[in-house]
Amino acid sequence: MPIRVLEPEVAGRIAAGEVVERPSSVVKELLENSLDAGATRIDVTTTGGGIGSIVVSDNGVGIPEVDVPLVFQQFATSKINRSEDLNSINTLGFRGEAMYSISAVSEVELITRAVDEKVGVNINILEGNVGVISPAAANVGTKVAVRNLFINFPARKKFLRSQKSETGRIATLVKRYSMIWPEISFSLSQEGTRFFSTTGSGSFRDVIAAVYGVETSNGMILIDSQGIDPEYLGPTLGGIIGSPSQTRANRSHINIFVNGRYIQNRTLSYAFEQAYHGLVGHRRFPIGVLDLRLSGETVDVNVHPAKTEVRFLNESEVFGVVQSTVRDSLLSSSNVQGVSSRPVDNSAILDQA
Ligand SMILES: Nc1ncnc2c1ncn2[C@@H]1O[C@H](COP(=O)(O)OP(=O)(O)OP(=O)(O)O)[C@@H](O)[C@H]1O
Ligand SMILES: [Mg+2]
């Protein structure tokens, strides 16, 4: 076959294949957009395990009417501008790819009103075709409704698990985001039932109580980042961690966030587990919400299409900060007694991770 440039419709579906693996990927992208827009309230509603519909509404800054048609264009973003910006990303989104990809494999309705506009606008996108913009009554903020996901992508639909399992994935995701953004009020309704909500009080304990229950929350230990020298510019760790008696049989309750982004990282997970060395039994894993903050210049988030992996400029430094901060928090907690403060040797651990 001769070489040909693919039709936009085919190209869109290929791009979507990377970004939109399943309904929860759509929820993730929409949540991240709402967070980047500075929302303090985010409501998520889904039906049919997210295949039927996913609606995310926020009270963020909204999108100016002139920008609305650009939202669905590939590589159209308000978050970065020049190539250098990729070296220091401070927003969750940066590719200008998510809305384009989502709209290539579903029916999207967007209603938005920017802060300084008097009325809102509404636009529909069907299989990547952007409709006309019409005025709509709306509060400041953005509401995105994604319906009939994978309507034109039967291959992808075939690989989805049951509706129940997709519903569960979405719930896990929304809970995860609510844990790291305690100052934002989240709500999740699934199949017509209000399933989960947080108050936006700003307290890690409150969000943990909403996710794991009051008893677990009360038994956990807050990481105290108050005493950090203001001149110190290196990585810092905040969040909340389980006491050694609050372990689980797997790692799925180790929630690691880098600059507010949920990531999967074996090295950090290992650093966290090592801090509990000698305190928890064999094949038991601690729980926690790790809020790692570091300069955007020292971490590369442009590694994976789903943005769930990062690379650190100085991985052993980050490892050390996680391990020692968690260990210190455990040692100074009244819940934990008789613990040796002897540091664990990192080098061998890093090799294994
Ligand atoms: N909820 C929202 N509130 C305000 N602006 C939004 C919202 N959702 C999307 N936008 C605007 O639309 C643009 C495109 O969104 P999209 O998610 O496709 O790209 P991105 O967030 O810039 O990058 P990425 O593909 O990494 O998510 C954003 O840059 C932003 O300007
Ligand atoms: Mg985005």
Side-chain angles (χ1 to χ4, degrees):
M1 248 203 294
I3 299 180
R4 254 184 253 122
V5 174
L6 292 173
E7 293 291 323
E9 195 194 317
V10 187
R13 245 185 266 178
I14 291 172
E18 296 207 318
V19 176
V20 191
E21 194 192 341
R22 54 191 340 122
S24 59
S25 338
V26 173
V27 179
K28 172 180 183 286
E29 294 298 339
L30 299 182
L31 281 182
E32 292 193 349
N33 282 343
S34 297
L35 291 164
D36 281 342
T40 56
R41 194 184 163 96
I42 304 176
D43 299 305
V44 182
T45 307
T46 68
T47 60
I51 290 286
S53 68
I54 294 170
V55 182
V56 175
S57 53
D58 69 52
N59 65 351
V61 292
I63 307 170
E65 186 175 343
V66 288
D67 285 348
V68 167
L70 291 172
V71 169
F72 301 94
Q73 266 185 35
Q74 193 176 25
F75 308 128
T77 177
S78 58
K79 300 173 191 175
I80 62 168
N81 196 351
R82 299 161 309 162
S83 142
E84 301 88 274
D85 295 342
L86 278 174
N87 301 333
S88 175
I89 291 170
N90 297 310
T91 46
L92 296 168
F94 55 87
R95 307 159 305 179
E97 183 83 49
M99 297 299 278
Y100 163 78
S101 295
I102 293 168
S103 67
V105 291
S106 66
E107 300 167 4
V108 180
E109 180 182 9
L110 170 83
I111 299 171
T112 186
R113 185 179 141 206
V115 212
D116 42 14
E117 284 176 6
K118 290 208 169 52
V119 285
V121 293
N122 171 308
I123 190 168
N124 285 279
I125 295 88
L126 292 180
E127 293 190 31
N129 297 314
V130 181
V132 288
I133 298 182
S134 49
N139 293 325
V140 171
T142 303
K143 176 171 166 179
V144 179
V146 175
R147 299 195 179 92
N148 295 324
L149 183 63
F150 300 135
I151 186 169
N152 53 356
F153 209 160
R156 184 53 56 96
K157 212 167 168 177
K158 216 165 53 196
F159 283 100
L160 292 178
R161 299 268 178 96
S162 68
Q163 180 174 318
K164 193 162 162 247
S165 135
E166 298 301 327
T167 302
R169 274 174 193 267
I170 292 170
T172 303
L173 184 103
V174 175
K175 287 178 181 173
R176 216 166 245 160
Y177 274 86
S178 71
M179 285 194 275
I180 197 66
W181 299 88
E183 64 283 11
I184 295 174
S185 159
F186 287 85
S187 79
L188 172 65
S189 298
Q190 293 184 293
E191 317 304 330
T193 306
R194 165 73 76 101
F195 180 74
F196 170 78
S197 63
T198 62
T199 59
S201 68
S203 142
F204 277 120
R205 258 195 219 292
D206 288 351
V207 287
I208 291 292
V211 176
Y212 292 112
V214 176
E215 204 180 316
T216 302
S217 171
N218 286 343
M220 290 177 80
I221 301 159
L222 276 172
I223 295 177
D224 181 9
S225 34
Q226 294 295 317
I228 295 171
D229 179 353
E231 305 274 296
Y232 170 76
L233 296 175
T236 58
L237 187 75
I240 186 165
I241 56 172
S243 71
S245 59
Q246 297 176 301
T247 57
R248 301 284 157 109
N250 58 48
R251 295 186 172 87
S252 58
H253 299 280
I254 301 176
N255 299 286
I256 304 173
F257 299 85
V258 173
N259 295 341
R261 181 193 308 280
Y262 173 74
I263 58 137
Q264 283 164 334
N265 185 291
R266 283 186 58 195
T267 306
L268 293 192
S269 176
Y270 209 75
F272 180 56
E273 290 164 40
Q274 280 303 312
Y276 287 77
H277 186 78
L279 297 172
V280 301
H282 184 57
R283 299 223 53 83
R284 297 298 298 176
F285 299 92
I287 61 172
V289 177
L290 303 182
D291 182 11
L292 182 70
R293 302 274 160 183
L294 70 176
S295 150
E297 282 157 25
T298 62
V299 55
D300 184 5
V301 294
N302 191 17
V303 179
H304 185 263
K307 299 179 285 191
T308 49
E309 285 171 27
V310 296
R311 274 199 212 108
F312 299 106
L313 205 56
N314 189 342
E315 190 167 67
S316 58
E317 181 188 32
V318 177
F319 184 102
V321 166
V322 170
Q323 194 198 38
S324 61
T325 311
V326 172
R327 190 80 180 176
D328 290 349
S329 302
L330 288 172
L331 287 177
S332 54
S333 160
S334 54
N335 291 359
V336 185
Q337 279 156 9
V339 184
S340 146
S341 63
R342 188 173 54 84
V344 185
D345 178 15
N346 292 342
S347 48
I349 296 159
L350 267 177
D351 289 343
Q352 285 175 38

